[in-house]
Amino acid sequence: MTEVNARPETRVGAVFVPQLPPERLRSVAQAADQAGLDELWLWEDCFLESGITSVAAALAWTDRLTVAVGLLPVPLRNVAITAMELATLHRLFPGRARVGVGHGVQDWMGQVGARAESPMALLREHLTALRALLSGERVTTQGRYVRLDGVALDWPPPQRPELLSGATGDRTLRLSGELADGTILTGGTTVAQVRRARGLIDEGRARAGRTDYHRVVVYLHAATGRDASARMEAERVRWGYDTMDGHGVAGSAEQVAEAVRAWAAAGADTVVLQPTPDDPDPEGFLAFAAREVAPLARS
């Protein structure tokens, strides 16, 4: 990509947290679709629920909803399989899937015997090969981790889809700017950290000579309803924050929308509301995000 794109309108998404059982996904996805939610995000967290199976099911159960996976851990995946799965998704559901790849949680990767000695080298090789395969190229490479011999997709997508990368550390943020089309930032990322991430991403983009627009996605802890503050306090303890100020928001639609606007002003293009695992009404939370928060956030 070489053309310069204007910054898009802020999008508001929400997470189907994998602490919910897989059989709950259908009703949640359909509620998101009916409410007009911009994006429904899924996680491939060990050892809860898979990403590709879930996103394919959610897309099949809905009509217009964009369904995203953030993210697929590359140590678990041969890049050819990743390319085949993404190409199939984008041919079956054109324009409705967003998928990111990343290091994965290193302790989990160690549990399954897949921890890489150099996660950075692995991610660089995976992103490079995945980008080429999804572009319809025939790829031969003998890297430290990625080795392909004349591999090409028989059914590549009609055009290369957006490729996202998860990133937190400085080197990974620069790498994402260099090789990915967008970056996923983890829940708990502060406004200041979003601004700093944008700067590091831009360093990578400049190094690669990229002028296309780079989209940034950030998860934002959010809760609403009578017990929102108590549930958010439990999230603070769970994630080890000193305070939830700057990491999340609990309250009314206007309060949540104000937070979305703050994170968007710092450089996030998609703000994905991350509900508490014990939210009493996941379907209602998605309707809240779509019908109440999103219009206020964009006003």
Side-chain angles (χ1 to χ4, degrees), residues 221 251 267:
H221 295 287

Side-chain angles (χ1 to χ4, degrees), residues 97-109:
R98 301 187 77 189
V99 180
V101 299
H103 295 308
V105 177
Q106 294 306 295
D107 287 347
W108 290 341
M109 300 303 100

